[in-house]
Amino acid sequence: MPQISQPVARTGPHIGTDIEKTKMGDFPRQPPSGIKVIIVGCGFAGISAAIECDRKGHSVTLLEKVPNIEEITRFGDIISFDPNGSRAFVRWPGVIEAMERIARQTSWLDLYHWKGKFVTRQSFANEKGWGHRINGHRGELHNIIFQHAKARGIDIRFGQRVTEYFETDDHAGVIVNGQQMFADVVIAAEGVRSRGRKLVLGFDDKPKSSGYAVYRAWFPGDVIAKNPMLKHLVVNGDTHQGWIGPDLHFLASSLKGGKEFNWVFTHVDDGNIEESWQFPGKVEDCLKYVEGWAPMVTEIVKSTPKHGRLIDHKLVFRDPLPTFISPKARICLIGDAAHPFLPTSIQGASQSIEDGVVLAICLEKAGKSNVPLAVRAYEKIRYERVHKAQAMGVKTREKWHKANFDTIWDNPESIHLSREPWLLNFDAEVDAYKRYAEVVADLTGSKAKL
Ligand SMILES: Cc1cc2nc3c(=O)[nH]c(=O)nc-3n(C[C@H](O)[C@H](O)[C@H](O)COP(=O)(O)OP(=O)(O)OC[C@H]3O[C@@H](n4cnc5c(N)ncnc54)[C@H](O)[C@@H]3O)c2cc1C
């Protein structure tokens, strides 16, 4: 019989809503709500939800299966947060400033025909008023957030593999390393292979092949600087460019003033659904996909150092879930566990941040005695927006992979990324506070009685 343990209350300082920012560890925080939260998974979704719950005065224990933070931060390459995601970072003292220091400093994307002819420059300069666009190394950005969470005193436990979820009317819990842990609510943020999905869905949903895979590489910019055909990509500061061709798009960028370089390309895949971020890719295989492409593209691929980080990432697809929450509404899915995104949406990470922001507010507004209502309100606020955002990824992939250059030369802007204000110029915190009462009235039927 497994031993029963209670989640340990976070020991960080609790200060009032009035801002008293002084030193590390002293952060603006709502008074304690008494709500105990277990979060499973320390990816961007989990760690951000932990910070947001801490801001709202909830007591958080975060459980992560890998043994230490380095096992999370040493993987990955370029990741993007659009203004809607980075709004949260602005509210976490010191975080956005630290991110800006390592992020790509470009406000445009140059797009080329796959054979090499320049098509158009898409400028993002007019989005400045919407907030920060943060594009940088996933591990470095994650580490900044992690250090902030640690400084807040959040209880983060590594080497904790959750194997089961359960709930009653009064609490939710997990079995972790063979032991039971209880809380008022459990947040499953364990990425695309989530176990929490089974409880929420009532069955194991099988991942499907999306029919696409992504080769991704990240390496020092000096190799590019030594190549006369490519050096302009790194010697004049940061750059960002893409080549668009039949069923494939190739993106490359430089960061830190050209000191670092990365490229990614999405291509049609054989349908094998193995998914791993660590799966090594081979330059020879990549070159087969871009045979006959612009010399710059093939030269970039050839420049990838043998021991550089090149991975072949199969894109798994899952049907949109009918719900993000468990039958008793004590367990909820957030981030990729709830809604995996295609890279062309450029929203996976941002939407995972919005989830935590909204959930923490719903818990704050509902209070300890109404946790299931909070969880239902979270789903109602998030569901439609997330699925609308997911659809944008498919739209961009179709636009790029089926690009008809007969018409594009007349209207080059038609291949620009869609940058829609409803999605990007959006503050999930403001929106959740604004909509909470109405959403709850809808859920409880009290609106109809008014
Ligand atoms: C190693 C890795 C590298 C990535 N690199 C990139 C990239 O370069 N660019 C990009 O755009 N996107 C990348 N992604 C995806 C991107 O981070 C996510 O799409 C997005 O940030 C949403 O994150 P998430 O927190 O929902 O899920 P994830 O980032 O997948 O995080 C889930 C976390 O849950 C933990 N976990 C899973 N199961 C359990 C369990 N049973 N018990 C306890 N903990 C558990 C995992 O170890 C992981 O830390 C990467 C994801 C991973 C896992």
Side-chain angles (χ1 to χ4, degrees), residues 39-48 62-67 71-81 136-139 142 157-165 175-177 188-196 216 218 264 275-278 311 313 334-343 346-353 355:
I39 300 176
V40 184
C42 187
F44 282 106
I47 191 86
S48 303
L62 195 158
L63 305 172
E64 167 58 53
K65 70 177 179 186
V66 302
E71 285 303 306
I72 294 177
T73 54
R74 75 191 176 95
F75 294 114
D77 43 80
I78 193 84
I79 200 161
S80 305
F81 293 93
H137 192 279
R138 174 186 182 271
H142 194 286
R157 305 180 188 183
F158 287 96
Q160 308 288 311
R161 181 184 288 273
V162 167
T163 48
E164 244 176 80
Y165 290 77
I175 296 189
V176 54
N177 295 351
E190 337 126 292
V192 278
R193 296 210 176 279
S194 164
R195 284 171 185 273
R216 333 176 49 108
W218 184 291
V264 297
E275 182 178 40
S276 164
W277 281 94
Q278 289 92 300
I311 58 164
H313 169 58
I334 66 168
D336 281 4
H339 42 66
F341 271 77
L342 289 176
I346 325 177
Q347 274 290 310
S350 295
Q351 291 298 320
S352 77
I353 309 282
D355 286 345

Side-chain angles (χ1 to χ4, degrees), residues 345-367:
S345 67
I346 325 177
Q347 274 290 310
S350 295
Q351 291 298 320
S352 77
I353 309 282
E354 286 192 16
D355 286 345
V357 169
V358 172
L359 185 53
I361 289 169
C362 292
L363 290 168
E364 175 203 342
K365 299 296 283 178

Side-chain angles (χ1 to χ4, degrees), residues 132-411:
H132 297 256
R133 285 172 66 240
I134 300 286
N135 296 277
H137 192 279
R138 174 186 182 271
E140 291 175 359
L141 294 171
H142 194 286
N143 196 41
I144 291 169
I145 300 178
F146 175 74
Q147 295 305 333
H148 176 70
K150 247 177 59 177
R152 299 185 79 96
I154 294 173
D155 176 17
I156 305 173
R157 305 180 188 183
F158 287 96
Q160 308 288 311
R161 181 184 288 273
V162 167
T163 48
E164 244 176 80
Y165 290 77
F166 55 84
E167 63 176 345
T168 67
D169 288 336
D170 304 321
H171 64 255
V174 292
I175 296 189
V176 54
N177 295 351
Q179 293 205 330
Q180 277 185 321
M181 280 181 76
F182 295 93
D184 294 300
V185 57
V186 173
I187 302 176
E190 337 126 292
V192 278
R193 296 210 176 279
S194 164
R195 284 171 185 273
R197 293 170 76 99
K198 188 174 169 198
L199 184 96
V200 165
L201 293 176
F203 60 90
D204 256 334
D205 71 327
K206 294 276 176 263
K208 295 175 182 173
S209 164
S210 66
Y212 288 85
V214 190
Y215 280 111
R216 333 176 49 108
W218 184 291
F219 49 89
D222 53 3
V223 213
I224 301 291
K226 283 183 204 141
N227 185 321
M229 193 196 290
L230 304 178
K231 69 176 187 189
H232 64 284
L233 300 179
V234 293
V235 295
N236 301 313
D238 296 354
T239 60
H240 188 199
Q241 42 276 312
W243 287 261
I244 309 297
D247 255 333
L248 195 154
H249 69 274
F250 186 101
L251 296 168
S253 72
S254 59
L255 302 90
K256 300 182 186 167
K259 284 199 179 63
E260 299 193 8
F261 191 81
N262 69 89
W263 60 260
V264 297
F265 75 81
T266 301
H267 60 88
V268 173
D269 188 50
D270 57 10
N272 166 356
I273 57 161
E274 272 306 306
E275 182 178 40
S276 164
W277 281 94
Q278 289 92 300
F279 195 71
K282 290 195 190 115
V283 167
E284 313 85 87
D285 294 342
C286 299
L287 284 171
K288 286 179 204 148
Y289 283 101
V290 290
E291 206 181 315
W293 277 54
M296 267 177 67
V297 169
T298 51
E299 208 54 27
I300 288 172
V301 175
K302 283 184 198 158
S303 304
T304 311
K306 274 239 162 5
H307 303 293
R309 280 213 300 254
L310 170 59
I311 58 164
D312 180 10
H313 169 58
K314 313 279 180 185
L315 284 178
V316 164
F317 175 79
R318 282 176 176 80
D319 288 327
L321 294 186
T323 175
F324 298 161
I325 67 176
S326 61
K328 293 182 188 294
R330 291 259 172 197
I331 301 173
C332 57
L333 305 173
I334 66 168
D336 281 4
H339 42 66
F341 271 77
L342 289 176
T344 38
S345 67
I346 325 177
Q347 274 290 310
S350 295
Q351 291 298 320
S352 77
I353 309 282
E354 286 192 16
D355 286 345
V357 169
V358 172
L359 185 53
I361 289 169
C362 292
L363 290 168
E364 175 203 342
K365 299 296 283 178
K368 188 173 168 71
S369 54
N370 277 317
V371 166
L373 182 62
V375 170
R376 287 162 64 212
Y378 150 75
E379 178 186 55
K380 199 161 169 61
I381 292 174
R382 294 294 297 141
Y383 197 82
E384 193 188 326
R385 176 169 165 82
V386 161
H387 289 117
K388 248 176 104 180
Q390 269 177 319
M392 301 283 291
V394 180
K395 205 167 125 186
T396 301
R397 190 180 66 191
E398 296 299 292
K399 184 196 276 197
W400 280 358
H401 287 205
K402 295 188 172 44
N404 176 0
F405 279 93
D406 293 341
T407 58
I408 288 167
W409 293 120
D410 294 333
N411 181 16

